């Protein structure tokens, strides 16, 4: 261990009478250790870094061949680090940058049930401080939850989980039975359309119609139903619909010409290198690249938009295809 701290050389010596040379080194106060014989005419040994100068002076004028096999120890390691100091400085800066960016939010993923608009919810979360680029520890989950629930009556609960540099939000919607705050009252159930009664589930009130009855729009189906236990009435009704289709369909096909536009995003900041798109007709295909390691997502993203030039091509349809298209629309 002490030799590693001071530094030492591993030397190979070749020649005849090498043992006499080693004895000569010892008599001159040079410490030689870990001596190993490689061949009959070659040995391997170690000397401290400070003794190399003495070995060179005693070696001059001899008939031996000496070469340094390896340099080991802290002084040599420090010298190599100093030699590549620019690389080490960049590594330290990169590590500091990585540790710094890991404390900020990169992406916010929101999961919402049907009936709640995600974009409106995302805007409110952004106003409340849950957005890319925000310091993670500055987010007060209880305050954000109370703010969202006070602005959206349909929201029953908001779960906010921080994983790495990402935030995952799960929104729970209120049950239909919990939305009503009105007192219980009674009403009549009427038909909204003409139809034939298929099934009646009279949870409350007096049933007037039976299965198979033909009813007109506005007819009373049940009397005195409680709005806390609303009955269900199933009926078959009829619709008339008209659909039209063109015999000639115009499709866009790629000509093979394209241009790429890249957008670099750092948190919520964007930098776009725009190109002049001279195409009269085109379609755009977007792709996004980001680097993630586990739950850590790097804040730098690259979005590539490819503009493909297109030309209009007329395609004639047969009567059979027209009928199929119209049936799909119904």
């Amino acid at each position: 261990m002490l030799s590693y701290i001071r530094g030492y050389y591993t030397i190979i010596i070749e020649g005849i009478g090498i043992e006499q040379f080693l004895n000569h080194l010892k008599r001159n106060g040079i410490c030689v250790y870990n001596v190993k014989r490689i061949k009959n005419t070659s040995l391997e040994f170690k000397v401290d870094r400070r003794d190399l100068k003495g070995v060179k002076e005693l070696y001059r004028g001899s008939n031996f061949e000496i070469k340094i096999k390896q340099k080991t120890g802290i002084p040599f390691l420090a010298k190599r680090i100093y030699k590549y100091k620019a690389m080490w400085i960049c590594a330290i800066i990169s590590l500091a940058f990585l540790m710094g960016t890991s404390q900020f939010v990169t992406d916010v993923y929101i999961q919402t049930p049907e009936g709640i608009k995600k974009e409106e919810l995302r805007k409110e979360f952004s106003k409340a401080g849950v957005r890319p680029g925000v310091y993670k520890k500055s987010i007060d989950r209880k305050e954000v939850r109370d703010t969202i629930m006070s602005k959206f009556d349909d929201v029953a609960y908001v779960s906010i989980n921080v994983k790495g540099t990402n935030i995952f939000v799960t929104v729970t919607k209120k049950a239909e039975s919990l939305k009503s705050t009105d007192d219980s009252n009674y009403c009549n159930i009427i038909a909204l359309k003409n139809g034939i009664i298929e099934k009646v589930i009279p949870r409350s009130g007096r049933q007037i119609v039976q299965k198979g009855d033909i009813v007109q729009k506005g007819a009373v189906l049940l009397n005195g139903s409680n709005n806390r236990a609303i009955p269900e009435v199933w009926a078959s009704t009829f619709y008339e619909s008209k659909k039209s289709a063109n015999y000639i369909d115009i499709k866009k096909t790629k000509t093979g010409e394209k241009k790429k536009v890249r957008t670099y995003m750092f948190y919520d900041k964007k930098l776009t290198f725009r190109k002049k798109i001279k195409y009269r007709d085109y379609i755009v295909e977007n792709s996004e690249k980001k680097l993630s390691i586990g739950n850590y997502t790097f804040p730098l993203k690259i979005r590539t938009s490819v503009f493909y030039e297109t030309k209009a091509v007329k395609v004639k349809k047969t009567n059979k295809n027209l009928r199929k298209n119209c049936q799909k629309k119904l």
Side-chain angles (χ1 to χ4, degrees), residues 217-234:
K217 179 180 179 180
V220 178
L221 307 178
L222 291 101
N223 278 329
S225 297
N226 191 326
N227 68 348
R228 291 297 179 89
I230 298 177
E232 292 185 29
V233 180
W234 298 70

Side-chain angles (χ1 to χ4, degrees), residues 97 101 104-110 122 131-133 165-168 261-273 286-293 295-305:
F97 176 77
T101 54
F104 295 87
V105 178
T106 304
D107 284 312
V108 179
Y109 299 95
I110 301 176
R122 187 179 294 276
R131 59 181 181 273
T165 59
N166 302 318
I167 291 181
F168 296 88
V261 176
R262 287 186 172 86
T263 301
Y264 296 87
M265 296 175 286
F266 186 77
Y267 292 118
D268 56 348
K269 307 297 182 183
K270 296 181 181 180
L271 176 62
T272 303
F273 292 92
N286 296 314
S287 62
E288 187 173 293
K289 293 182 180 179
K290 57 183 179 181
L291 179 61
S292 299
I293 301 176
N295 290 321
Y296 176 80
T297 303
F298 287 87
L300 181 63
K301 302 177 186 176
I302 301 175
R303 180 184 295 166
T304 304
S305 301

Side-chain angles (χ1 to χ4, degrees), residues 185-200:
N185 53 26
Y186 295 88
C187 61
N188 294 334
I189 306 300
I190 64 173
L192 295 177
K193 294 182 176 67
N194 301 335
I196 301 173
I197 302 299
E198 297 288 345
K199 182 171 65 173
V200 180

Side-chain angles (χ1 to χ4, degrees), residues 36 47 56 92 102 104 111 122 125 136 149-150 159 168 180 197 249 251 254 260 265 268 291 295 300 313 321:
K36 296 179 183 178
V47 295
K56 288 181 178 180
I92 292 171
S102 65
F104 295 87
Q111 183 179 355
R122 187 179 294 276
F125 271 110
K136 291 190 296 185
M149 292 178 65
S150 64
S159 173
F168 296 88
S180 176
I197 302 299
D249 192 11
K251 293 185 177 180
K254 298 177 182 178
K260 293 183 179 180
M265 296 175 286
D268 56 348
L291 179 61
N295 290 321
L300 181 63
V313 177
N321 290 335

Side-chain angles (χ1 to χ4, degrees), residues 249-253 311-315:
D249 192 11
I250 299 177
K251 293 185 177 180
K252 291 184 177 182
T253 59
K311 62 179 180 180
V313 177
K314 294 182 179 180
V315 179

